[in-house]
Amino acid sequence: MGIKIINEKSLPSIPWQDKPAGCRDVVWRYSENPIIKRDLLKCSNSIFNSAVVPFNGQYAGVFRVDDKRRNMQLHAGFSKDAVSWMLNEEKIEWVNEDAKTAEANPWQYGYDPRVVWIEDRYWVTWCNAYGWKPTIGIGYTFDFKKFYQCENAFLPFNRNGVLFPRKIGGKYVMFSRPSDSGHTPFGDMYISQSPDMKYWGEHRHVMGPRGGWESKKIGAGPIPIETSEGWLCIYHGVLESCNGFVYSLGAAILDINEPWKVKYRCDEYLLSPQMDYECWGDVPNVVFPCAALCDADTGRLAIYYGCADTHVGLAFGTVEEIVEYTKAHS
Ligand code: BMA
């Protein structure tokens, strides 16, 4: 491989299917999609926009479950093969280490989680209600059994909080996408920095919408992947049609030491809602990536994405091909 993957681990058990013969795309779907159907749990109306990571030689994750009351909740889940998932029927009960944090921020709703291993634990970020208004919640777990909640990173309104997998320049780094109270008709990606996961500042603009498939708003997706070309960042972009929003998946490559500097940005989407399960559901025409597994040895990527705000889908690609394609179409 010409492109080096940095700091990712060997993951020989990563889910994988070779690119189908005749496929001209850089990212292709798992043939048995969706891998998690909306009714997996007794309580679930839908299960989508969810995050998975390697865990104890197998896999674990945090899943967005909208229940039948249509409350947005987070549930832990486990898998041997990262394709077939068992989710806890009960939602995550967050524990606050600090009583003041608990008092100030009682659980109301949470959605669109991301999970990343940094240093000694799995960090979870999600869109968290504060006074019933969305902002970025942060917590952590060691075992996917007990989950600890920290102070919210930002004020409302904010969404799509995504951590980088290591400190950069001595600071934790997170994407977010400031927004408004509703189904935001705008949105740029920003980076914020923190010495301690509690106080966030040194905000930097990364990029905004720029036309076509990403003309309305954009937001970070899976945890960025460190490569010799820069941070490979898969994100979503939204187009507004006469019939509503269309969510697609694209890629950009950011500077390693100053990740608010965009080196390359693919002008085509890499995956857009085209299959029935992406075009038909509670919110039609949505592919919404929240996680990617990466095998450092082969460069294989398994991308987990929400389908039509209803199920979880899986797609494949390789770091090398996505990086090359992004550079060539930037
Ligand atoms: C966004 C978020 C996502 C959702 C998407 C499409 O604003 O609410 O959770 O998947 O809209 O409805």
Side-chain angles (χ1 to χ4, degrees):
M1 268 197 311
I3 292 155
K4 284 201 186 61
I5 298 170
I6 303 164
N7 285 329
E8 295 284 340
K9 298 212 165 55
S10 298
L11 204 57
S13 67
I14 191 172
W16 186 252
Q17 283 179 334
D18 286 331
K19 192 190 282 204
C23 171
R24 291 174 297 178
D25 298 324
V26 178
V27 170
W28 59 96
R29 295 169 179 81
Y30 179 53
S31 60
E32 306 305 310
N33 268 354
I35 57 165
I36 300 178
K37 302 214 168 58
R38 65 184 309 163
D39 59 354
L40 180 71
L41 297 180
K42 187 173 167 295
C43 68
S44 57
N45 166 77
S46 44
I47 306 173
F48 52 112
N49 307 353
S50 296
V52 312
V53 285
F55 172 66
N56 278 353
Q58 300 185 356
Y59 298 90
V62 176
F63 295 79
R64 171 172 177 174
V65 177
D66 288 11
D67 68 22
K68 287 177 178 161
R69 296 184 197 92
R70 299 308 300 263
N71 293 329
M72 299 178 284
Q73 305 291 6
L74 301 177
H75 290 231
F78 302 89
S79 175
K80 290 199 167 89
D81 61 4
V83 176
S84 173
W85 286 88
M86 302 255 299
L87 269 56
N88 292 345
E89 188 70 44
E90 299 303 323
K91 72 180 168 77
I92 293 172
E93 295 295 345
W94 295 89
V95 179
N96 293 99
E97 279 185 318
D98 182 337
K100 284 188 194 144
T101 305
E103 191 191 340
N105 195 13
W107 179 264
Q108 294 170 332
Y109 63 73
Y111 61 92
D112 297 359
R114 315 304 204 270
V115 183
V116 58
W117 173 266
I118 308 177
E119 292 154 7
D120 63 348
R121 67 193 71 185
Y122 296 94
W123 288 92
V124 186
T125 53
W126 68 96
C127 188
N128 187 47
Y130 179 60
W132 297 101
K133 298 175 176 72
T135 184
I136 307 303
I138 305 188
Y140 59 87
T141 182
F142 298 98
D143 55 10
F144 288 87
K145 286 187 192 134
K146 199 158 181 191
F147 288 84
Y148 299 89
Q149 188 171 353
C150 309
E151 291 282 345
N152 290 326
F154 305 115
L155 295 168
F157 299 88
N158 207 324
R159 294 181 170 91
N160 297 300
V162 179
L163 288 163
F164 282 67
R166 66 167 173 85
K167 285 182 172 172
I168 301 173
K171 304 205 177 96
Y172 297 105
V173 177
M174 177 160 58
F175 286 119
S176 76
R177 208 275 305 281
S179 57
D180 68 13
S181 59
H183 214 81
T184 315
F186 62 89
D188 293 24
M189 283 165 59
Y190 291 83
I191 272 175
S192 303
Q193 305 175 67
S194 171
D196 56 5
M197 286 280 189
K198 184 168 181 182
Y199 297 100
W200 293 87
E202 297 175 314
H203 311 293
R204 304 278 183 271
H205 184 259
V206 183
M207 56 188 189
R210 64 165 184 183
W213 66 273
E214 49 174 345
S215 48
K216 202 75 188 168
K217 52 179 173 174
I218 60 172
I223 304 306
I225 294 163
E226 190 170 1
T227 79
S228 50
E229 292 294 311
W231 293 102
L232 171 59
C233 166
I234 291 170
Y235 65 101
H236 71 259
V238 182
L239 167 153
E240 187 170 29
S241 81
C242 58
N243 263 333
F245 289 151
V246 179
Y247 283 70
S248 303
L249 172 162
I253 298 167
L254 312 178
D255 184 81
I256 285 290
N257 298 316
E258 295 177 305
W260 45 91
K261 293 186 177 160
V262 181
K263 289 176 73 179
Y264 308 99
R265 182 171 174 184
C266 192
D267 52 21
E268 297 177 3
Y269 64 70
L270 300 182
L271 191 78
S272 82
Q274 297 184 7
M275 305 301 279
D276 285 354
Y277 54 86
E278 297 161 347
C279 300
W280 189 87
D282 281 357
V283 182
N285 304 317
V286 180
V287 302
F288 196 95
C290 287
L293 299 172
C294 177
D295 174 30
D297 299 335
T298 56
R300 289 175 174 178
L301 271 188
I303 302 166
Y304 292 77
Y305 66 102
C307 308
D309 283 14
T310 303
H311 335 269
V312 177
L314 175 59
F316 303 113
T318 67
V319 171
E320 174 139 43
E321 199 181 352
I322 294 173
V323 168
E324 293 297 2
Y325 197 85
T326 299
K327 287 175 72 176
H329 294 80
S330 184

